[in-house]
Amino acid sequence: MKNKKSLLGLCLLVLVLVLGVGYAVVSSVNLDITGTAKVKSSDLKVSFNGVTNVSSADKVSANATDGSLSATIAVTDLTLNESVTATYTIKNEETDVNAEVIKASIVNNKPDYFEVTTDVDSSPKTINAGGTTTVTVTVKLVQTPVADTDSTANITVNLTASPVQP
């Protein structure tokens, strides 16, 4: 009698295991995890990398602050309607987030005489993660200065970067 009870208990245990495995094989559960991850612009690592080219070394000097998106350009001795450029290289140090670079502001100490434009004024530039791009600043003399003190302009260009979906 004791053997019959043990055999019956063992059969029931085997039956439960077979049913459990069979149910697991036939049924499937999809597990979907959804969510949103956001990168704040203030945490984005996009900055000038110090590489700057100018169109005329005797009329333009340009500098960029490494680790920031602020650059300076100084121009002197331009003739009326003459333009000079400074091209700055910008690096996206992020490994998995693209960035979009736009003009934040331009501070021109002689706006009556010098017109300042950038190639990101009308449309932003996208920098892939780990990549670089260039931003060109153009300065044009639009009015001939009478005083010698007005023949030189000091300009600060501030850019901003925002994360974009790769």
Side-chain angles (χ1 to χ4, degrees):
M1 181 91 171
K2 198 173 189 181
N3 272 344
K4 281 185 174 184
K5 284 185 183 181
S6 296
L7 185 60
L8 183 61
L10 185 61
C11 286
L12 283 174
L13 183 62
V14 169
L15 180 66
V16 169
L17 285 174
V18 168
L19 286 174
V21 170
Y23 178 75
V25 168
V26 215
S27 67
S28 65
V29 175
N30 291 333
L31 179 60
D32 293 328
I33 299 173
T34 59
T36 304
K38 293 184 180 180
V39 177
K40 294 189 291 187
S41 295
S42 61
D43 294 337
L44 202 61
K45 294 178 188 170
V46 177
S47 62
F48 289 109
N49 74 350
V51 178
T52 307
N53 296 314
V54 295
S55 62
S56 175
D58 57 333
K59 295 185 178 190
V60 182
S61 68
N63 295 302
T65 306
D66 286 348
S68 78
L69 285 174
S70 180
T72 58
I73 181 171
V75 297
T76 188
D77 298 330
L78 298 181
T79 58
L80 186 61
N81 294 320
E82 181 181 10
S83 295
V84 291
T85 61
T87 303
Y88 300 92
T89 302
I90 300 172
K91 179 165 179 61
N92 181 358
E93 297 177 32
E94 296 293 333
T95 56
D96 56 356
V97 177
N98 294 349
E100 188 173 75
V101 177
I102 59 171
K103 176 184 76 173
S105 66
I106 293 178
V107 178
N108 177 359
N109 73 332
K110 303 281 175 46
D112 293 339
Y113 302 103
F114 297 92
E115 176 183 84
V116 183
T117 57
T118 73
D119 60 352
V120 292
D121 285 351
S122 57
S123 66
K125 285 192 175 186
T126 300
I127 312 172
N128 292 332
T132 61
T133 191
T134 58
V135 172
T136 301
V137 178
T138 303
V139 180
K140 179 180 179 181
L141 183 67
V142 292
Q143 179 180 340
T144 304
V146 175
D148 285 341
T149 56
D150 293 329
S151 65
T152 301
N154 294 306
I155 298 151
T156 302
V157 177
N158 296 302
L159 303 175
T160 187
S162 304
V164 292
Q165 190 71 29

